[in-house]
């Protein structure tokens, strides 16, 4: 249920040109960033920038993937709906602003 909730909130950015994929199992998800959604053009610098902006808003995400272009989402299972909404809202805000 937690993973479905997060995926639903991330639906707001799946059409963004940098978002190549949202993948994972359950609540362990990753948002892969690539230029123009092309997996051959990973956007590691954009991922680092989004993660840094989220940190400025007191929300922590970490980078992942061999190329560093994946934003990892792995909340504790006892996270509240309000905390999920806030955290993913911050992520969505900074993904929308990313170039």
């Amino acid at each position: 249920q937690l993973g479905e909730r997060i995926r639903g909130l991330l639906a707001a950015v799946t059409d963004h040109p940098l978002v190549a994929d949202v993948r994972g199992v359950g609540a362990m998800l990753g948002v892969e960033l690539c230029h123009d959604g092309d997996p051959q053009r990973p956007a590691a610098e954009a991922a680092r920038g989004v993660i840094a902006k989220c940190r400025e808003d007191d929300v922590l995400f970490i980078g992942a993937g061999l190329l560093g272009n994946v934003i990892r989402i792995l909340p504790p299972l006892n996270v509240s709906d309000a905390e999920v909404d806030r955290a993913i809202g911050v992520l969505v805000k900074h993904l929308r602003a990313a170039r």
Side-chain angles (χ1 to χ4, degrees), residues 1-3 5-6 27 74-85:
Q1 291 174 341
L2 179 56
R5 180 179 190 81
I6 295 169
L74 184 56
L77 295 178
N78 65 345
V79 67
S80 72
D81 288 346
E83 291 168 324
V84 169
D85 292 349

Side-chain angles (χ1 to χ4, degrees), residues 34 37-42:
C34 297
D38 180 358
Q40 298 300 314
R41 299 179 58 214

Side-chain angles (χ1 to χ4, degrees), residues 1-20:
Q1 291 174 341
L2 179 56
E4 290 173 15
R5 180 179 190 81
I6 295 169
R7 280 182 186 274
L9 294 168
L10 289 173
V13 292
T14 55
D15 63 344
H16 189 285
L18 278 175
V19 177

Side-chain angles (χ1 to χ4, degrees), residues 34-74:
C34 297
H35 298 285
D36 298 318
D38 180 358
Q40 298 300 314
R41 299 179 58 214
E45 69 286 346
R48 286 190 299 272
V50 169
I51 291 168
K53 288 292 187 183
C54 289
R55 188 176 311 117
E56 290 174 10
D57 284 343
D58 299 322
V59 177
L60 299 177
F61 291 100
I62 60 172
L66 293 174
L67 303 173
N69 64 318
V70 178
I71 299 171
R72 184 183 304 177
I73 302 168
L74 184 56

